[in-house]
Amino acid sequence: MVKNIRTLTLLLTILLSLSGCEKINMPVTPETQSLTIEPLTVMTYNVYLGSSTESVLNVENLLQVPTEVANVYNNFLASDFPGRARAIAGSIKTHQPHLIGLQEMSLIRRQSPGDRIAGGLVPAEDVVMDFRIVLRDALRTEGLDYRIAAEVENIDVEMPMFTDDGIVDVRLTDYDVILARNDVQTSKAEAATYGDMFRVEKLGLEVKRGYVAVDATVEGVTYRFVNTHLEAFDPTVRVDQTHELIENLSQETLPIVLLGDFNTEAPNGTAYQLLIDAEYVDTWQTELIGNTCCQQKDLQNTISEHIKRIDQIFVCNSETDVTVLMTETVGDTPSDRLASGRWPSDHAGVVARLVFYEERGSF
């Protein structure tokens, strides 16, 4: 079903123009149209590992770890990321964004026999699947040319699991990635890790997260494009990470496009409100709800179960006005499901088409 994008009311437009660091205006008038440049199209998508890791993080007894790790691994295999990647690539082809922020871009490796259960530290290096390679292959199959402009390595953890062949170590390395279309110039790549992180004392584990950023030039205009995935399991850590993100970007002079999986619900989540208070403006300015999370863990639910909007696209820090031409969720309609019945991800993607233009007099 085609999503109908409604314009903002005049009152909301006025309120936004008075209160935010970006003025978001809809619709485009003939006067403003003469000032606009080529629209900037951006997308955020949490592609999903294919299994929740919560059961591992919440083990009561360390003896449960190999069994729970095996469950996560088998669920990941069953989730068919190559098939899901083809569906995600189809959504990307529909909108062909200049820049894409991707979360949960996983690299899974294994080692057989494993040594971790005996205290060994030899890292697993046999690649089972690299989501970065799989998705880019799917994009090329669609005739699209995207490159990895920057990435940040988040958690890198290796644990034992039980298999029919004995004890095997499996290693998960999580990345947030920025993809740039081949005609987009990028520079000043930055990968940063948040100082505060969720800790699982029983496992001696720190769930490292961060953000990745580039300067990107589209049609002669340069933006600071930032992609992040904030903490999911601990709201206090998530708030601390949000404070750090805002502070780290506070000296930026370029227009900022900040997007990702913020794990904070719009409009009332604490971390979401911190961003709003820091004069970041949410580009989701339509009457549609725009929920993005979450399908069932096995992705097999028939009807979408998205009940909250935690994947967002913000703009901030500009001497320009911003016109939102379109915001839309992707990957969340029945036609997006795979032949197997699986959804492309437990999240929906979000795409926005924006026009930045110099302010000339009052609007």
Side-chain angles (χ1 to χ4, degrees):
M1 178 179 179
V2 177
K3 301 179 176 68
N4 296 316
I5 305 301
R6 305 292 183 87
T7 61
L8 289 176
T9 65
L10 177 61
L11 176 60
L12 183 55
T13 301
I14 294 172
L15 287 174
L16 284 170
S17 70
L18 293 174
S19 63
C21 74
E22 295 283 6
K23 302 180 180 67
I24 293 191
N25 307 300
M26 295 177 72
V28 182
T29 68
E31 291 78 11
T32 60
Q33 183 66 48
S34 64
L35 301 176
T36 63
I37 60 168
E38 181 71 18
L40 172 70
T41 304
V42 298
M43 177 183 285
T44 180
Y45 215 134
N46 181 327
V47 303
Y48 184 46
L49 169 63
S51 180
S52 171
T53 59
E54 196 168 359
S55 63
V56 176
L57 299 178
N58 291 335
V59 292
E60 296 294 331
N61 188 318
L62 292 179
L63 295 177
Q64 297 174 279
V65 169
T67 297
E68 294 300 337
V69 171
N71 288 337
V72 170
Y73 181 81
N74 291 331
N75 290 340
F76 141 70
L77 290 177
S79 76
D80 181 23
F81 183 69
R84 296 193 291 113
R86 290 191 291 272
I88 292 169
S91 293
I92 293 172
K93 183 176 183 178
T94 297
H95 297 283
Q96 299 193 35
H98 296 93
L99 298 154
I100 309 169
L102 300 169
Q103 305 87 44
E104 293 193 31
M105 291 290 282
S106 303
L107 170 59
I108 297 93
R109 289 169 282 190
R110 57 184 283 167
Q111 176 178 275
S112 182
D115 66 354
R116 289 300 163 109
I117 204 164
L121 297 176
V122 177
E125 297 292 354
D126 294 336
V127 175
V128 177
M129 191 175 299
D130 188 335
F131 282 25
R132 297 166 297 180
I133 294 174
V134 173
L135 182 56
R136 290 180 69 201
D137 285 347
L139 290 170
R140 280 191 286 267
T141 298
E142 292 286 358
L144 303 175
D145 188 1
Y146 283 85
R147 69 183 186 280
I148 295 177
E151 63 185 24
V152 59
E153 180 184 301
N154 298 315
I155 189 171
D156 183 6
V157 60
E158 185 170 335
M159 292 185 179
M161 69 176 179
F162 292 140
T163 72
D164 292 340
D165 298 322
I167 296 175
V168 172
D169 289 344
V170 61
R171 179 180 176 190
L172 167 65
T173 310
D174 173 73
Y175 296 91
D176 298 329
V177 173
I178 292 175
L179 294 185
R181 212 171 66 188
N182 65 335
D183 58 339
V184 177
Q185 299 176 2
T186 59
S187 62
K188 297 183 180 178
E190 176 188 8
T193 299
Y194 294 120
D196 201 2
M197 60 192 74
F198 177 49
R199 291 174 171 82
V200 185
E201 300 297 338
K202 185 172 292 185
L203 299 175
L205 180 65
E206 294 182 332
V207 181
K208 186 172 66 170
R209 296 183 188 269
Y211 66 88
V212 61
V214 295
D215 285 359
T217 301
V218 176
E219 297 293 328
V221 179
T222 301
Y223 312 88
R224 190 63 173 167
F225 184 82
V226 186
N227 172 33
T228 193
H229 187 185
L230 297 181
E231 179 52 49
F233 299 110
D234 188 321
T236 300
V237 171
R238 179 164 61 245
V239 166
D240 290 343
Q241 291 174 349
T242 306
H243 280 297
E244 185 175 345
L245 177 64
I246 291 169
E247 175 62 27
N248 288 356
L249 297 177
S250 63
Q251 301 304 309
E252 181 58 60
T253 58
L254 292 173
I256 296 172
V257 178
L258 169 64
L259 49 66
D261 175 1
F262 293 86
N263 278 309
T264 182
E265 191 168 352
N268 298 317
T270 303
Y272 179 91
Q273 284 299 321
L274 285 173
L275 287 162
I276 298 301
D277 291 345
E279 298 189 328
Y280 283 81
V281 177
D282 187 351
T283 61
W284 189 265
Q285 304 291 342
T286 80
E287 295 178 5
L288 298 174
I289 295 173
N291 289 337
T292 62
C293 187
C294 294
Q295 310 295 9
Q296 291 182 11
K297 295 173 184 178
D298 65 1
L299 305 177
Q300 295 277 23
N301 48 294
T302 303
I303 299 173
S304 177
E305 296 186 7
H306 290 162
I307 59 171
K308 54 187 177 180
R309 186 165 69 86
I310 63 175
D311 303 83
Q312 295 133 11
I313 301 173
F314 296 93
V315 291
C316 191
N317 195 36
S318 175
E319 297 298 326
T320 64
D321 280 357
V322 178
T323 296
V324 178
L325 300 181
M326 180 273 287
T327 52
E328 186 176 313
T329 56
V330 298
D332 55 351
T333 63
S335 63
D336 294 312
R337 297 172 69 197
L338 281 64
S340 64
R342 291 185 179 86
W343 295 93
S345 171
D346 62 339
H347 286 242
V350 185
V351 61
R353 187 167 294 118
L354 313 169
V355 174
F356 293 71
Y357 58 92
E358 294 182 1
E359 184 179 6
R360 300 183 184 180
S362 61
F363 180 76

